[in-house]
Amino acid sequence: MAELYTANSNSYFPSNDNEESKPRYRHRSSSVSSLLSLNLIPSFDGHTLYKLKTARSTKKIERFFGEDAPHDICIKEIKKEGLKAILQSKYPLCYFLYHLLDEYSSENLFFFIELEQYESFKYTSAGQQIATAQHIYNTYIAKNSYFEVNLDDKVCREVTLALEQKDVKCFDTAKRAVYSLLESSYIRFRTSDTFDLMAKECGELTTEYKKETKLAAINRLFNYIEQQNQKAHLSSTQKQYELMRSMIYEFCNTYIGVTI
């Protein structure tokens, strides 16, 4: 039997003398971009793949321009991709956080960011990772904690049981659940005045924001802190104000990269 060699595939395929010979091609697995564009994956899984895609793009930019190359997600990309895009941004994310602060659900974003960092951090031991997990649990899931996330009782029980069993992946279900909460908030954010202001101040296609644009984004958070400070003096919420201020400062320092 004769054999047909296809130069593109670097392999041999048998051909049939009685049929028209046609090159055969091995099916290629779908790329991250194609999966996202076809919307064939659940929202949370789409976030995971989009994060991988963004990380690859960032590495390419850093290899070309250097590690300090300024790069952010543009507003056009956020309008197209939604929550998963704004979660990978820096300065646009400040506007989303401001929206969450305004609707009293900022703990959802803080919790999600902590879980992202929890999963990516290189621990020296399993004990260190479990201790970190316990701290996150005490901050966001324990009953009556200052930043308690509004998760279903079933999810909370699953996390509690997994943590008691020292499972380092104890937050998997909670992360999916809080992502859904963030999606609901993003839908409201998308039609808000804050979103329109973000688009106006950041520009549609900009990925390297000017100093004035960065300051405008951060100052919205600082203005919120100042407003809450004035309210705290008029009520018994001083402790809550101090904790929120600390969280916003930490967000700016570690996530945005702005030293306060």
Side-chain angles (χ1 to χ4, degrees), residues 190-253:
R190 184 65 179 81
T191 58
S192 69
D193 292 339
T194 303
F195 187 96
D196 293 338
L197 182 64
M198 175 188 72
K200 179 181 178 181
E201 293 183 342
C202 293
E204 191 80 4
L205 299 174
T206 304
T207 59
E208 183 180 343
Y209 296 117
K210 297 179 180 179
K211 182 179 180 180
E212 295 78 8
T213 303
K214 296 177 181 179
L215 288 175
I218 295 171
N219 282 337
R220 292 194 69 80
L221 299 178
F222 290 168
N223 289 338
Y224 177 87
I225 293 174
E226 182 58 32
Q227 292 170 8
Q228 294 305 304
N229 184 30
Q230 295 174 3
K231 292 179 181 179
H233 287 304
L234 301 175
S235 64
S236 58
T237 59
Q238 184 66 31
K239 177 65 174 179
Q240 189 170 0
Y241 156 74
E242 291 175 356
L243 288 170
M244 182 61 71
R245 180 184 62 181
S246 176
M247 293 293 282
I248 293 174
Y249 280 8
E250 186 66 19
F251 169 83
C252 292
N253 285 331

Side-chain angles (χ1 to χ4, degrees), residues 108 111-112 115 149 151 174-183:
N108 294 334
F111 180 48
F112 188 85
L115 293 184
V149 177
L151 299 176
K175 190 176 183 182
R176 285 181 175 272
V178 79
Y179 188 86
S180 295
L181 295 177
L182 288 171
E183 279 191 313

Side-chain angles (χ1 to χ4, degrees), residues 111-203:
F111 180 48
F112 188 85
I113 290 174
E114 286 236 37
L115 293 184
E116 292 275 88
Q117 294 174 338
Y118 168 78
E119 292 172 353
S120 62
F121 187 78
K122 303 298 182 182
Y123 299 93
T124 57
S125 66
Q128 183 190 28
Q129 186 168 4
I130 290 298
T132 303
Q134 186 66 58
H135 171 74
I136 294 173
Y137 178 91
N138 294 342
T139 304
Y140 298 101
I141 296 181
K143 291 296 182 183
N144 300 319
S145 58
Y146 277 105
F147 295 100
E148 183 179 357
V149 177
N150 186 25
L151 299 176
D152 291 341
D153 289 340
K154 180 182 178 182
V155 174
C156 292
R157 287 195 299 270
E158 288 180 2
V159 174
T160 302
L161 180 60
L163 185 57
E164 289 174 350
Q165 296 174 346
K166 300 188 183 303
D167 182 356
V168 295
K169 295 184 178 181
C170 55
F171 296 116
D172 284 1
T173 55
K175 190 176 183 182
R176 285 181 175 272
V178 79
Y179 188 86
S180 295
L181 295 177
L182 288 171
E183 279 191 313
S184 297
S185 293
Y186 180 82
I187 291 172
R188 293 187 291 274
F189 172 62
R190 184 65 179 81
T191 58
S192 69
D193 292 339
T194 303
F195 187 96
D196 293 338
L197 182 64
M198 175 188 72
K200 179 181 178 181
E201 293 183 342
C202 293

Side-chain angles (χ1 to χ4, degrees), residues 27-50:
H27 176 70
R28 295 179 60 187
S29 59
S30 300
S31 66
V32 171
S33 299
S34 63
L35 287 172
L36 291 171
S37 63
L38 292 174
N39 197 26
L40 296 177
I41 47 182
S43 296
F44 180 77
D45 297 321
H47 156 76
T48 303
L49 292 175
Y50 185 83

Side-chain angles (χ1 to χ4, degrees), residues 2-68:
E3 290 183 323
L4 172 67
Y5 176 72
T6 56
N8 291 334
S9 63
N10 293 323
S11 61
Y12 287 89
F13 298 93
S15 63
N16 192 324
D17 293 335
N18 297 325
E19 297 179 1
E20 182 181 358
S21 297
K22 296 181 180 180
R24 302 180 187 178
Y25 300 95
R26 186 172 61 182
H27 176 70
R28 295 179 60 187
S29 59
S30 300
S31 66
V32 171
S33 299
S34 63
L35 287 172
L36 291 171
S37 63
L38 292 174
N39 197 26
L40 296 177
I41 47 182
S43 296
F44 180 77
D45 297 321
H47 156 76
T48 303
L49 292 175
Y50 185 83
K51 183 172 67 172
L52 177 62
K53 172 188 172 184
T54 304
R56 289 172 178 170
S57 299
T58 301
K59 286 182 179 179
K60 290 180 180 178
I61 292 172
E62 289 178 350
R63 281 199 297 267
F64 191 82
F65 293 102
E67 292 185 1
D68 296 329

